[in-house]
Amino acid sequence: DWEDVLQVEILATAAVQCPISLDSPPFCPQITPCGHIFAFPSIMQHCLYSGDGLRRAAPCPLCFAPVVARELKSVLITPVTLPQVGKSLTFQLLRRGHTSITPMGQPLHLGAPQSSATETTSAPVKMPVVSSFGSHNRFAKFGTMGVEGALELWRASAQELAQHAMEVTAEGGLDAAAVAPAIYAAQDALAGRARRWAAHRAERLAFGTGGTIVP
């Protein structure tokens, strides 16, 4: 469910650029449900002007899919290097249980008989973590994030936007008059996102515990 997503993490083999502001990397990057990444103030400015002041969906600037501010998600961009001809590669053996969505690294016993390799009881290999906010590895499709991680994620984004707003308003001029409303709209969208997540989490906890909200 897209409502349950707090942050999308991508591995990028090339520089990611906002198609509106041309910033690379995008400032406080946000991703749409259609998978396109924009700078937060830029996509909010687009939604303000093309979405009738956020009263209706605006078309995505790239694919024209409907975009609304409440469906934007933070995105973590991790640069990776493509394999090159002639270079050595290291592969990781993964194993995922039938009832699990999380793959675990397994030690590779070179030269061991096939039966030994399949029946090994060696401890799983610790997987590389992409983000410090969540408990997950880069090979998993989904990760978990606790309350503290969510708060830290929103706090970092809010600080970025506040600092940017101060810089823009200090410069003044016509550019500030055009950009500042989009930054303030981004701050409001971020605050609304946090409120919806808190309400959604409380509802899930209440449903899962028979009507009792557990802290």
Side-chain angles (χ1 to χ4, degrees):
D1 189 351
W2 188 248
E3 281 292 323
D4 293 327
V5 176
L6 291 177
Q7 184 184 57
V8 177
E9 301 180 352
I10 66 169
L11 304 180
T13 57
V16 177
Q17 184 180 53
C18 173
I20 299 176
S21 66
L22 303 183
D23 292 339
S24 182
F27 172 76
C28 197
Q30 302 292 300
I31 190 168
T32 62
C34 54
H36 296 119
I37 299 174
F38 303 89
F40 206 167
S42 299
I43 189 61
M44 289 304 300
Q45 188 175 41
H46 173 74
C47 290
L48 281 170
Y49 291 107
S50 299
D52 193 20
L54 302 181
R55 285 185 286 272
R56 58 182 177 83
C60 173
L62 295 181
C63 69
F64 304 107
V67 174
V68 294
R70 64 173 292 155
E71 293 183 344
L72 297 173
K73 303 294 182 182
S74 299
V75 57
L76 174 66
I77 304 170
T78 302
V80 295
T81 303
L82 282 174
Q84 298 179 357
V85 176
K87 298 292 184 178
S88 298
L89 295 178
T90 301
F91 290 87
Q92 173 64 61
L93 178 64
L94 301 176
R95 178 173 295 174
R96 180 176 61 82
H98 293 293
T99 60
S100 174
I101 63 172
T102 304
M104 300 299 297
Q106 298 293 322
L108 181 61
H109 301 283
L110 297 178
Q114 185 175 1
S115 58
S116 299
T118 56
E119 297 173 1
T120 179
T121 58
S122 301
V125 176
K126 185 177 180 180
M127 305 302 288
V129 174
V130 177
S131 172
S132 60
F133 292 129
S135 174
H136 56 289
N137 62 63
R138 69 176 60 195
F139 297 104
K141 291 183 177 180
F142 304 98
T144 59
M145 183 178 291
V147 175
E148 290 301 322
L151 292 177
E152 180 58 30
L153 175 64
W154 290 320
R155 188 179 297 116
S157 298
Q159 290 174 349
E160 279 189 276
L161 291 170
Q163 180 64 32
H164 190 40
M166 290 177 57
E167 295 172 353
V168 168
T169 53
E171 292 178 1
L174 295 177
D175 289 343
V179 175
I183 302 176
Y184 299 144
Q187 291 175 314
D188 291 341
L190 189 66
R193 189 183 305 174
R195 289 192 297 268
R196 288 191 301 275
W197 180 84
H200 186 58
R201 180 176 182 272
E203 181 181 353
R204 287 290 183 89
L205 288 174
F207 178 79
T209 56
T212 303
I213 298 179
V214 180

